Amino acid sequence: MAKKLKEFLSQLVDRLPDDLLRIDRPIDPAHFEVTALLQHLENRQQFPALLFERPLNLHGKPSSFPLLSNLFATRARCALALALDPEDAGLPLSLEYAKREERLIPPVKVSAREAPVKEVVKHDQEADLYDFPIVRHHAMDSAPYIDMTPVMKDPDEGFYNLAFLRNMVKGPRRLGIHMSPRHNWQIHRKNEEKKRPTPVAIVVSHHPSFYLGALNVSPFGVDDYARVGAIMGEPLRLTASETWGDDFMVPADAEIVIEGHVLPDVREVEAPFGEFPGYYGPQRLRPVIEVTAITHRRDAVFQHIFVGHRDNWILGGIPKEGSLFNLIRGIVPTTKGVHFPISGCGRFHCYVSIDKKIDGETKQAALAALAGCDFVKHVVVVDADIDIYREEEVMWAVATRVQADQDVDIIKNVKGNTLDPSQTDDIMTAKMIIDATRPVKRPFAARLEVPKEAMAKTRLDEFVAPAVLERLRRS
Amino acid sequence: MAGIFWVTCPECRGEFYCHAQELRHKGIKLLCPYCGHQFLDEESPKIVE
């Protein structure tokens, strides 16, 4: 049975009833009202998913598409998306992603008749982006943006690549697209060298496991449709696109797909846009998409990501944890876990725990993390007694197990990320490794511990009533 | 991040920034994110670079 977004929302209500707020008042996403609400909640440290049932579209009229926001802002919801217990949102979620990420499940093809995304099909002039409740996120954003996943197909080898890329709404059938020099950029570059347009299908809304799968860190050349299937735990069902037929397949169970061409040798001003590091990317010259068709379910839900916030950071971090765990464990077999904390935007900081047996393993693990994912700037390697999902424990290890002159390495002139505002170069950055593990070769102080026997014998609920415990504020 | 320069929209006085290598002194009209006005960087009443 193919996974559907609405079934996931029903599961969410069953398992985590306080995690989905339905908002039935009209709201205007293009004039910052949605993100204002999200920011108010964030200021209170509250991160529910929001389903806006009566958003306005870009014509300023009630949209027929409800708008789903902030779905990925908790690890518990991401665990549920992969059919795990929400309680398993820490290390078990990372390890499950790692396990699934080692496989490929090839997609299967279905006819348009069997594809819910073809329930409504609009071509050319019928297709109107302004019918959607597209969100304008932050004060300096130059327009409403679609911020989900464009799919492109390699013209030489035929594999598909998915990535979260921002798309600036420039007209009813015109979008700007920003591509960092990564996989989709490579595909477009190959086409552009031959003066060919690049076919693109933007998967605007789908089951959340599709998007967790889309962020895998597979090498260029791996078919993302097959990898996404592995993460979803079932073959992705594909159907022929409206624009290119069988030559370009699109997800049959998506809520909404926008098809178009990235034009060769066309650049227009695009941005500023509030990006994942929590700063605006500057206005620059970027390629343009001409929309050729829009297809969607009859009752489709429109989705967006609250970029530069927890929704974006948690979604970005979990797939990298899984992918890098597999990579690092191949080099340091005693690797226990990999975590991308929200303090590093789910990308720049990487915490690795290892059960170190010999000196040197730390550096091996850190170098693998840096090589495996170019987003990573700072790797902190800790011992297995440190819970890498509790940042204060990691920083405690840094405070008590690090001598900066011996345990910190800086590597200059490495590929970084164009959106990192601290970079002084467009591409190149500096990376840092912090070895916060205890040394193997010399005696080291023992960590404090209340005797295990006393912990087992002295039960908290015998001294403090459970109701009082529940009321105590967690710091 | 690449080098940037801040501009001020001559129409609404809103301030924003642009990619220096791609847009400074290139004769390309910038787009004000606040009011939609298009203008050359030289028309900005204030540039910080």
Side-chain angles (χ1 to χ4, degrees):
Chain A
M1 190 68 176
K3 287 189 166 66
K4 301 184 185 85
L5 174 62
K6 281 175 213 74
E7 280 178 5
F8 175 76
L9 295 179
S10 298
Q11 285 174 353
L12 184 58
V13 171
D14 287 344
R15 296 295 307 277
L16 300 166
D18 294 333
D19 264 45
L20 182 66
L21 290 186
R22 291 176 184 274
I23 308 288
D24 61 4
R25 280 185 58 169
I27 196 160
D28 189 351
H31 290 89
F32 308 108
E33 290 184 359
V34 163
T35 51
L37 213 55
L38 289 166
Q39 186 67 60
H40 279 306
L41 287 162
E42 182 180 308
N43 293 347
R44 297 164 56 91
Q45 288 293 292
Q46 293 171 321
F47 302 97
L50 298 177
L51 184 62
F52 297 96
E53 294 175 329
R54 298 167 65 198
L56 299 184
N57 62 23
L58 293 192
H59 292 294
K61 296 178 177 164
S63 174
S64 56
F65 302 92
L67 171 65
L68 182 61
S69 291
N70 225 29
L71 187 60
F72 300 95
T74 72
R75 291 182 70 99
R77 291 201 289 274
C78 293
L80 193 62
L82 296 190
L84 300 182
D85 191 315
E87 294 290 318
D88 290 336
L91 185 62
L93 172 57
S94 306
L95 297 184
E96 177 64 21
Y97 194 100
K99 195 171 93 182
R100 295 188 194 186
E101 205 251 6
E102 288 185 311
R103 301 177 60 202
L104 293 172
I105 298 182
V108 294
K109 184 181 166 186
V110 300
S111 68
R113 195 165 36 80
E114 300 167 281
V117 77
K118 301 289 189 180
E119 286 172 358
V120 179
V121 177
K122 292 178 177 172
H123 289 104
D124 303 320
Q125 299 300 307
E126 280 184 322
D128 185 356
L129 296 169
Y130 288 11
D131 287 340
F132 292 123
I134 305 177
V135 179
R136 196 168 188 170
H137 294 80
H138 296 99
M140 204 193 284
D141 285 2
S142 53
Y145 269 75
I146 297 168
D147 57 4
M148 303 305 280
T149 51
V151 184
M152 295 184 190
K153 184 179 180 182
D154 185 81
D156 302 325
E157 296 175 49
F159 59 85
Y160 291 87
N161 190 77
L162 283 85
F164 275 86
L165 301 174
R166 68 189 198 216
N167 294 113
M168 174 182 170
V169 178
K170 287 172 166 267
R173 281 166 294 283
R174 194 173 184 85
L175 295 162
I177 180 167
H178 171 83
M179 290 177 273
S180 291
R182 309 184 88 244
H183 298 175
N184 274 1
W185 178 85
Q186 290 284 5
I187 290 171
H188 177 58
R189 186 188 57 77
K190 286 185 187 185
N191 284 319
E192 199 165 49
E193 280 175 359
K194 294 180 178 170
K195 307 294 181 195
R196 292 190 305 225
T198 299
V200 59
I202 304 169
V203 183
V204 178
S205 189
H206 206 305
H207 188 279
S209 59
F210 175 90
Y211 293 112
L212 284 160
L215 280 162
N216 72 79
V217 194
S218 297
F220 189 63
V222 172
D223 184 51
D224 272 348
Y225 279 152
R227 186 70 86 204
V228 166
I231 301 301
M232 294 179 82
E234 62 185 31
L236 192 62
R237 298 189 336 140
L238 301 179
T239 191
S241 60
E242 295 300 306
T243 311
W244 312 278
D246 285 347
D247 288 342
F248 194 107
M249 304 294 283
V250 297
D253 297 294
E255 297 279 308
I256 301 167
V257 170
I258 299 169
E259 299 178 10
H261 293 105
V262 187
L263 305 176
D265 299 323
V266 174
R267 298 290 186 276
E268 293 180 359
V269 288
E270 183 270 340
F273 179 70
E275 269 289 356
F276 77 84
Y279 298 86
Y280 298 97
Q283 188 161 103
R284 53 190 311 176
L285 290 174
R286 282 293 176 252
V288 169
I289 296 172
E290 274 186 359
V291 172
T292 51
I294 293 174
T295 73
H296 60 83
R297 290 171 183 260
R298 210 165 278 119
D299 58 352
V301 171
F302 191 88
Q303 277 179 274
H304 82 110
I305 300 294
F306 194 20
V307 179
H309 298 261
R310 204 173 276 229
D311 191 30
N312 183 208
W313 297 340
I314 288 178
L315 174 62
I318 291 167
K320 293 175 186 62
E321 291 172 5
S323 300
L324 283 196
F325 179 83
N326 286 335
L327 180 69
I328 299 168
R329 191 183 49 175
I331 294 158
V332 180
T334 58
T335 300
K336 298 297 178 191
V338 176
H339 180 44
F340 281 74
I342 56 172
S343 62
C345 314
R347 288 155 178 81
F348 291 151
H349 295 166
C350 178
Y351 300 158
V352 182
S353 68
I354 62 172
D355 186 9
K356 189 170 77 170
K357 302 299 182 195
I358 53 169
D359 285 327
E361 284 185 321
T362 309
K363 200 72 66 68
Q364 293 291 102
L367 290 170
L370 292 173
C373 178
D374 58 18
F375 281 107
V376 178
K377 281 174 74 179
H378 305 139
V379 186
V380 182
V381 185
V382 296
D383 295 299
D385 68 312
I386 300 296
D387 181 353
I388 52 176
Y389 293 86
R390 293 182 58 198
E391 191 152 62
E392 65 186 50
E393 275 211 39
V394 175
M395 288 298 110
W396 175 77
V398 170
T400 60
R401 299 179 188 180
V402 172
Q403 284 292 296
D405 63 331
Q406 298 166 42
D407 298 320
V408 177
D409 290 284
I410 292 169
I411 306 168
K412 295 178 183 173
N413 299 318
V414 190
K415 181 170 177 277
N417 190 281
T418 56
L419 295 167
D420 175 0
S422 72
Q423 278 183 206
T424 52
D425 182 86
D426 205 359
I427 300 292
M428 304 297 261
T429 192
K431 311 269 182 173
M432 178 169 64
I433 297 169
I434 300 177
D435 179 354
T437 60
R438 290 171 293 214
V440 171
K441 286 183 183 160
R442 69 178 171 88
F444 199 81
R447 187 174 179 175
L448 304 183
E449 183 186 31
V450 175
K452 288 187 179 65
E453 303 75 30
M455 290 292 288
K457 190 176 136 198
T458 314
R459 290 165 50 98
L460 193 56
D461 58 5
E462 289 175 356
F463 290 83
V464 185
V468 174
L469 272 179
E470 278 303 304
R471 285 205 306 272
L472 291 176
R473 181 187 292 273
R474 290 179 200 274
S475 63
Chain B
M1 192 181 284
I4 57 172
F5 64 101
W6 280 86
V7 291
T8 300
C9 172
E11 193 75 15
C12 73
R13 304 283 154 177
E15 296 178 343
F16 62 100
Y17 52 88
C18 304
H19 191 282
Q21 205 177 336
E22 291 180 0
L23 292 171
R24 185 73 176 121
H25 300 306
K26 298 293 184 190
I28 296 167
K29 285 195 170 178
L30 310 177
L31 174 67
C32 174
Y34 306 106
C35 71
H37 182 63
Q38 295 184 38
F39 61 99
L40 293 170
D41 53 347
E42 284 83 1
E43 298 172 52
S44 171
K46 185 176 144 195
I47 291 183
V48 180
E49 58 189 330

mmCIF file of all heavy atoms in Angstrom, chain A residues 241-268:
data_model
loop_
_atom_site.group_PDB
_atom_site.id
_atom_site.type_symbol
_atom_site.label_atom_id
_atom_site.label_comp_id
_atom_site.label_asym_id
_atom_site.label_seq_id
_atom_site.Cartn_x
_atom_site.Cartn_y
_atom_site.Cartn_z
ATOM 1 N N SER A 241 5.532 11.595 -16.746
ATOM 2 C CA SER A 241 5.232 13.023 -16.609
ATOM 3 C C SER A 241 4.350 13.473 -17.772
ATOM 4 O O SER A 241 4.276 12.809 -18.816
ATOM 5 C CB SER A 241 6.526 13.827 -16.594
ATOM 6 O OG SER A 241 7.227 13.620 -17.794
ATOM 7 N N GLU A 242 3.702 14.611 -17.588
ATOM 8 C CA GLU A 242 2.884 15.182 -18.658
ATOM 9 C C GLU A 242 3.756 15.732 -19.779
ATOM 10 O O GLU A 242 3.407 15.639 -20.959
ATOM 11 C CB GLU A 242 2.017 16.326 -18.110
ATOM 12 C CG GLU A 242 0.992 15.895 -17.111
ATOM 13 C CD GLU A 242 0.009 14.892 -17.680
ATOM 14 O OE1 GLU A 242 -0.595 15.191 -18.727
ATOM 15 O OE2 GLU A 242 -0.121 13.796 -17.092
ATOM 16 N N THR A 243 4.917 16.265 -19.408
ATOM 17 C CA THR A 243 5.719 17.014 -20.373
ATOM 18 C C THR A 243 6.639 16.114 -21.208
ATOM 19 O O THR A 243 6.842 16.366 -22.390
ATOM 20 C CB THR A 243 6.566 18.059 -19.621
ATOM 21 O OG1 THR A 243 5.710 18.773 -18.723
ATOM 22 C CG2 THR A 243 7.218 19.035 -20.581
ATOM 23 N N TRP A 244 7.182 15.048 -20.603
ATOM 24 C CA TRP A 244 8.167 14.220 -21.308
ATOM 25 C C TRP A 244 7.763 12.757 -21.383
ATOM 26 O O TRP A 244 8.534 11.924 -21.830
ATOM 27 C CB TRP A 244 9.534 14.339 -20.607
ATOM 28 C CG TRP A 244 9.899 15.753 -20.327
ATOM 29 C CD1 TRP A 244 10.449 16.654 -21.193
ATOM 30 C CD2 TRP A 244 9.698 16.460 -19.083
ATOM 31 N NE1 TRP A 244 10.599 17.873 -20.575
ATOM 32 C CE2 TRP A 244 10.157 17.786 -19.278
ATOM 33 C CE3 TRP A 244 9.192 16.117 -17.836
ATOM 34 C CZ2 TRP A 244 10.101 18.751 -18.275
ATOM 35 C CZ3 TRP A 244 9.137 17.070 -16.833
ATOM 36 C CH2 TRP A 244 9.594 18.366 -17.058
ATOM 37 N N GLY A 245 6.581 12.413 -20.905
ATOM 38 C CA GLY A 245 6.128 11.020 -20.944
ATOM 39 C C GLY A 245 7.049 10.111 -20.151
ATOM 40 O O GLY A 245 7.538 10.474 -19.083
ATOM 41 N N ASP A 246 7.317 8.915 -20.692
ATOM 42 C CA ASP A 246 8.151 7.922 -19.986
ATOM 43 C C ASP A 246 9.614 8.357 -19.856
ATOM 44 O O ASP A 246 10.378 7.743 -19.122
ATOM 45 C CB ASP A 246 8.104 6.582 -20.724
ATOM 46 C CG ASP A 246 6.779 5.860 -20.497
ATOM 47 O OD1 ASP A 246 6.029 6.278 -19.585
ATOM 48 O OD2 ASP A 246 6.504 4.895 -21.228
ATOM 49 N N ASP A 247 10.015 9.355 -20.590
ATOM 50 C CA ASP A 247 11.417 9.802 -20.497
ATOM 51 C C ASP A 247 11.709 10.505 -19.180
ATOM 52 O O ASP A 247 12.883 10.722 -18.839
ATOM 53 C CB ASP A 247 11.754 10.760 -21.649
ATOM 54 C CG ASP A 247 11.846 10.017 -22.967
ATOM 55 O OD1 ASP A 247 11.996 8.781 -22.931
ATOM 56 O OD2 ASP A 247 11.749 10.672 -24.020
ATOM 57 N N PHE A 248 10.666 10.914 -18.479
ATOM 58 C CA PHE A 248 10.884 11.553 -17.174
ATOM 59 C C PHE A 248 9.709 11.169 -16.281
ATOM 60 O O PHE A 248 8.578 11.576 -16.520
ATOM 61 C CB PHE A 248 10.980 13.078 -17.321
ATOM 62 C CG PHE A 248 11.533 13.780 -16.106
ATOM 63 C CD1 PHE A 248 12.818 14.304 -16.113
ATOM 64 C CD2 PHE A 248 10.787 13.891 -14.930
ATOM 65 C CE1 PHE A 248 13.342 14.944 -14.991
ATOM 66 C CE2 PHE A 248 11.295 14.518 -13.814
ATOM 67 C CZ PHE A 248 12.581 15.058 -13.837
ATOM 68 N N MET A 249 10.017 10.393 -15.251
ATOM 69 C CA MET A 249 8.973 9.853 -14.389
ATOM 70 C C MET A 249 8.826 10.715 -13.130
ATOM 71 O O MET A 249 9.805 11.279 -12.633
ATOM 72 C CB MET A 249 9.325 8.415 -13.996
ATOM 73 C CG MET A 249 9.565 7.482 -15.195
ATOM 74 S SD MET A 249 8.078 7.203 -16.192
ATOM 75 C CE MET A 249 7.202 6.045 -15.148
ATOM 76 N N VAL A 250 7.603 10.760 -12.630
ATOM 77 C CA VAL A 250 7.331 11.561 -11.424
ATOM 78 C C VAL A 250 6.620 10.683 -10.385
ATOM 79 O O VAL A 250 5.988 9.682 -10.747
ATOM 80 C CB VAL A 250 6.468 12.803 -11.758
ATOM 81 C CG1 VAL A 250 7.208 13.722 -12.713
ATOM 82 C CG2 VAL A 250 5.124 12.395 -12.343
ATOM 83 N N PRO A 251 6.715 11.039 -9.105
ATOM 84 C CA PRO A 251 6.092 10.212 -8.062
ATOM 85 C C PRO A 251 4.568 10.192 -8.186
ATOM 86 O O PRO A 251 3.908 11.234 -8.130
ATOM 87 C CB PRO A 251 6.548 10.884 -6.759
ATOM 88 C CG PRO A 251 7.777 11.644 -7.124
ATOM 89 C CD PRO A 251 7.535 12.125 -8.527
ATOM 90 N N ALA A 252 4.014 8.993 -8.333
ATOM 91 C CA ALA A 252 2.576 8.834 -8.582
ATOM 92 C C ALA A 252 1.729 9.184 -7.362
ATOM 93 O O ALA A 252 0.567 9.541 -7.500
ATOM 94 C CB ALA A 252 2.298 7.389 -9.004
ATOM 95 N N ASP A 253 2.322 9.064 -6.154
ATOM 96 C CA ASP A 253 1.528 9.265 -4.935
ATOM 97 C C ASP A 253 1.779 10.625 -4.289
ATOM 98 O O ASP A 253 1.341 10.854 -3.153
ATOM 99 C CB ASP A 253 1.826 8.127 -3.954
ATOM 100 C CG ASP A 253 1.407 6.791 -4.544
ATOM 101 O OD1 ASP A 253 0.201 6.595 -4.730
ATOM 102 O OD2 ASP A 253 2.295 5.972 -4.867
ATOM 103 N N ALA A 254 2.471 11.477 -5.005
ATOM 104 C CA ALA A 254 2.665 12.835 -4.491
ATOM 105 C C ALA A 254 1.313 13.547 -4.415
ATOM 106 O O ALA A 254 0.346 13.147 -5.072
ATOM 107 C CB ALA A 254 3.607 13.614 -5.411
ATOM 108 N N GLU A 255 1.287 14.597 -3.609
ATOM 109 C CA GLU A 255 0.080 15.423 -3.558
ATOM 110 C C GLU A 255 0.055 16.379 -4.753
ATOM 111 O O GLU A 255 -0.983 16.569 -5.380
ATOM 112 C CB GLU A 255 0.073 16.242 -2.255
ATOM 113 C CG GLU A 255 0.021 15.416 -0.991
ATOM 114 C CD GLU A 255 -1.375 14.942 -0.638
ATOM 115 O OE1 GLU A 255 -2.280 15.773 -0.575
ATOM 116 O OE2 GLU A 255 -1.547 13.718 -0.438
ATOM 117 N N ILE A 256 1.215 16.995 -5.019
ATOM 118 C CA ILE A 256 1.311 18.022 -6.073
ATOM 119 C C ILE A 256 2.676 17.887 -6.769
ATOM 120 O O ILE A 256 3.701 17.727 -6.094
ATOM 121 C CB ILE A 256 1.222 19.445 -5.474
ATOM 122 C CG1 ILE A 256 -0.092 19.641 -4.714
ATOM 123 C CG2 ILE A 256 1.389 20.518 -6.559
ATOM 124 C CD1 ILE A 256 -0.120 20.891 -3.835
ATOM 125 N N VAL A 257 2.676 17.956 -8.102
ATOM 126 C CA VAL A 257 3.927 18.008 -8.872
ATOM 127 C C VAL A 257 3.841 19.164 -9.873
ATOM 128 O O VAL A 257 2.821 19.320 -10.559
ATOM 129 C CB VAL A 257 4.191 16.680 -9.619
ATOM 130 C CG1 VAL A 257 5.346 16.823 -10.614
ATOM 131 C CG2 VAL A 257 4.510 15.552 -8.632
ATOM 132 N N ILE A 258 4.911 19.953 -9.918
ATOM 133 C CA ILE A 258 5.016 21.041 -10.903
ATOM 134 C C ILE A 258 6.098 20.649 -11.906
ATOM 135 O O ILE A 258 7.233 20.376 -11.509
ATOM 136 C CB ILE A 258 5.390 22.369 -10.210
ATOM 137 C CG1 ILE A 258 4.308 22.777 -9.200
ATOM 138 C CG2 ILE A 258 5.618 23.473 -11.250
ATOM 139 C CD1 ILE A 258 4.720 23.921 -8.284
ATOM 140 N N GLU A 259 5.760 20.609 -13.178
ATOM 141 C CA GLU A 259 6.739 20.251 -14.213
ATOM 142 C C GLU A 259 7.192 21.503 -14.963
ATOM 143 O O GLU A 259 6.406 22.443 -15.128
ATOM 144 C CB GLU A 259 6.112 19.273 -15.215
ATOM 145 C CG GLU A 259 5.668 17.957 -14.590
ATOM 146 C CD GLU A 259 4.998 17.030 -15.610
ATOM 147 O OE1 GLU A 259 5.051 17.319 -16.824
ATOM 148 O OE2 GLU A 259 4.417 16.017 -15.171
ATOM 149 N N GLY A 260 8.424 21.475 -15.422
ATOM 150 C CA GLY A 260 8.919 22.612 -16.194
ATOM 151 C C GLY A 260 10.312 22.360 -16.738
ATOM 152 O O GLY A 260 10.875 21.272 -16.587
ATOM 153 N N HIS A 261 10.861 23.383 -17.384
ATOM 154 C CA HIS A 261 12.223 23.339 -17.917
ATOM 155 C C HIS A 261 13.071 24.415 -17.246
ATOM 156 O O HIS A 261 12.619 25.555 -17.127
ATOM 157 C CB HIS A 261 12.235 23.647 -19.426
ATOM 158 C CG HIS A 261 11.577 22.617 -20.269
ATOM 159 N ND1 HIS A 261 10.334 22.805 -20.834
ATOM 160 C CD2 HIS A 261 11.992 21.392 -20.639
ATOM 161 C CE1 HIS A 261 10.016 21.720 -21.537
ATOM 162 N NE2 HIS A 261 10.995 20.856 -21.438
ATOM 163 N N VAL A 262 14.290 24.043 -16.852
ATOM 164 C CA VAL A 262 15.254 25.070 -16.486
ATOM 165 C C VAL A 262 15.882 25.533 -17.794
ATOM 166 O O VAL A 262 16.455 24.724 -18.538
ATOM 167 C CB VAL A 262 16.352 24.535 -15.534
ATOM 168 C CG1 VAL A 262 17.222 25.686 -15.056
ATOM 169 C CG2 VAL A 262 15.752 23.775 -14.371
ATOM 170 N N LEU A 263 15.740 26.810 -18.097
ATOM 171 C CA LEU A 263 16.185 27.310 -19.403
ATOM 172 C C LEU A 263 17.706 27.402 -19.466
ATOM 173 O O LEU A 263 18.344 27.832 -18.499
ATOM 174 C CB LEU A 263 15.570 28.692 -19.654
ATOM 175 C CG LEU A 263 14.043 28.754 -19.558
ATOM 176 C CD1 LEU A 263 13.549 30.189 -19.733
ATOM 177 C CD2 LEU A 263 13.386 27.834 -20.588
ATOM 178 N N PRO A 264 18.316 27.021 -20.590
ATOM 179 C CA PRO A 264 19.770 27.129 -20.699
ATOM 180 C C PRO A 264 20.192 28.590 -20.912
ATOM 181 O O PRO A 264 19.505 29.342 -21.620
ATOM 182 C CB PRO A 264 20.093 26.274 -21.934
ATOM 183 C CG PRO A 264 18.852 26.313 -22.761
ATOM 184 C CD PRO A 264 17.693 26.456 -21.794
ATOM 185 N N ASP A 265 21.288 28.944 -20.296
ATOM 186 C CA ASP A 265 21.911 30.262 -20.500
ATOM 187 C C ASP A 265 20.989 31.439 -20.189
ATOM 188 O O ASP A 265 21.136 32.519 -20.770
ATOM 189 C CB ASP A 265 22.437 30.389 -21.949
ATOM 190 C CG ASP A 265 23.487 29.345 -22.242
ATOM 191 O OD1 ASP A 265 24.288 29.051 -21.323
ATOM 192 O OD2 ASP A 265 23.500 28.806 -23.352
ATOM 193 N N VAL A 266 20.028 31.234 -19.300
ATOM 194 C CA VAL A 266 19.186 32.347 -18.840
ATOM 195 C C VAL A 266 19.460 32.546 -17.355
ATOM 196 O O VAL A 266 19.424 31.595 -16.575
ATOM 197 C CB VAL A 266 17.685 32.060 -19.067
ATOM 198 C CG1 VAL A 266 16.829 33.170 -18.457
ATOM 199 C CG2 VAL A 266 17.394 31.919 -20.549
ATOM 200 N N ARG A 267 19.759 33.779 -16.970
ATOM 201 C CA ARG A 267 19.961 34.109 -15.559
ATOM 202 C C ARG A 267 19.197 35.402 -15.267
ATOM 203 O O ARG A 267 19.237 36.349 -16.047
ATOM 204 C CB ARG A 267 21.451 34.325 -15.240
ATOM 205 C CG ARG A 267 22.351 33.103 -15.452
ATOM 206 C CD ARG A 267 22.103 32.017 -14.436
ATOM 207 N NE ARG A 267 23.058 30.907 -14.562
ATOM 208 C CZ ARG A 267 22.940 29.887 -15.413
ATOM 209 N NH1 ARG A 267 21.905 29.817 -16.239
ATOM 210 N NH2 ARG A 267 23.845 28.917 -15.448
ATOM 211 N N GLU A 268 18.504 35.384 -14.145
ATOM 212 C CA GLU A 268 17.782 36.584 -13.708
ATOM 213 C C GLU A 268 18.080 36.806 -12.230
ATOM 214 O O GLU A 268 18.483 35.876 -11.522
ATOM 215 C CB GLU A 268 16.262 36.395 -13.901
ATOM 216 C CG GLU A 268 15.838 36.307 -15.359
ATOM 217 C CD GLU A 268 14.325 36.112 -15.498
ATOM 218 O OE1 GLU A 268 13.626 36.025 -14.469
ATOM 219 O OE2 GLU A 268 13.861 36.041 -16.648
#
